[in-house]
Amino acid sequence: MGNYIILLNFYLYVVSFFHVIPINPKDALKSFLPVLTGNYWYVSAYIGMYILVPYMNLVIEHLNKKDFQKLLIISFVMFSLLPYVKNITVITNNNSVINLVYIYFIGGYLRKYNDDFSKDKMKHYILFLLVLLF
């Protein structure tokens, strides 16, 4: 994936060099260093996740169920509910890594406590979510 992005950036730079697409040196630097300049937020966030995954796995492994639920509820309130309800952002700039970490923790909880999500219980969860939505 990284080679494809670099090749695509090089192609766009060559095209812009021949004035097909006007580009300035600052944009050229952003295209060749997308992670350092934050040009491609998802690639930057993915690399951040790649660095954090071993530590997040340690947290997932060592948290008991009650503390894990507290972590997920606090994260939901801070990163989803507050910005939506009151337009309060806990982290103001480029929190895409934080959102991916939150999603990773949700997946870790589902993997670790998959017994809580049997077919019978899933019917109740889905019904509860539908009631919340409508």
Side-chain angles (χ1 to χ4, degrees):
M1 182 172 155
N3 292 337
Y4 175 74
I5 291 171
I6 292 171
L7 181 64
L8 181 62
N9 286 330
F10 180 73
Y11 171 75
L12 290 174
Y13 185 73
V14 169
V15 168
S16 67
F17 182 75
F18 293 109
H19 301 294
V20 176
I21 301 171
I23 191 167
N24 61 25
K26 183 179 177 182
D27 290 336
L29 180 66
K30 281 184 175 183
S31 70
F32 283 109
L33 302 171
V35 175
L36 296 177
T37 59
N39 200 25
Y40 298 123
W41 70 269
Y42 190 78
V43 174
S44 303
Y46 192 84
I47 290 172
M49 283 291 295
Y50 187 77
I51 294 168
L52 294 175
V53 162
Y55 304 105
M56 291 187 300
N57 285 338
L58 286 173
V59 170
I60 290 170
E61 183 180 321
H62 289 94
L63 279 178
N64 62 28
K65 187 174 183 178
K66 188 169 184 152
D67 289 336
F68 210 146
Q69 289 172 341
K70 287 179 187 176
L71 172 70
L72 292 177
I73 290 170
I74 290 169
S75 298
F76 174 75
V77 169
M78 288 175 59
F79 303 119
S80 297
L81 197 60
L82 283 178
Y84 180 74
V85 173
K86 290 287 188 178
N87 201 17
I88 299 170
T89 54
V90 179
I91 298 175
T92 56
N93 52 352
N94 200 7
N95 60 359
S96 57
V97 173
I98 300 296
N99 292 332
L100 290 177
V101 167
Y102 174 59
I103 293 168
Y104 190 85
F105 279 139
I106 291 172
Y109 182 85
L110 294 173
R111 183 186 71 222
K112 187 173 182 179
Y113 300 108
N114 61 359
D115 295 339
D116 292 347
F117 300 99
S118 65
K119 286 186 179 182
D120 293 332
K121 291 182 181 180
M122 284 304 291
K123 291 176 187 176
H124 297 295
Y125 291 136
I126 291 171
L127 181 64
F128 178 72
L129 287 175
L130 288 174
V131 168
L132 281 178
L133 290 174
F134 300 106

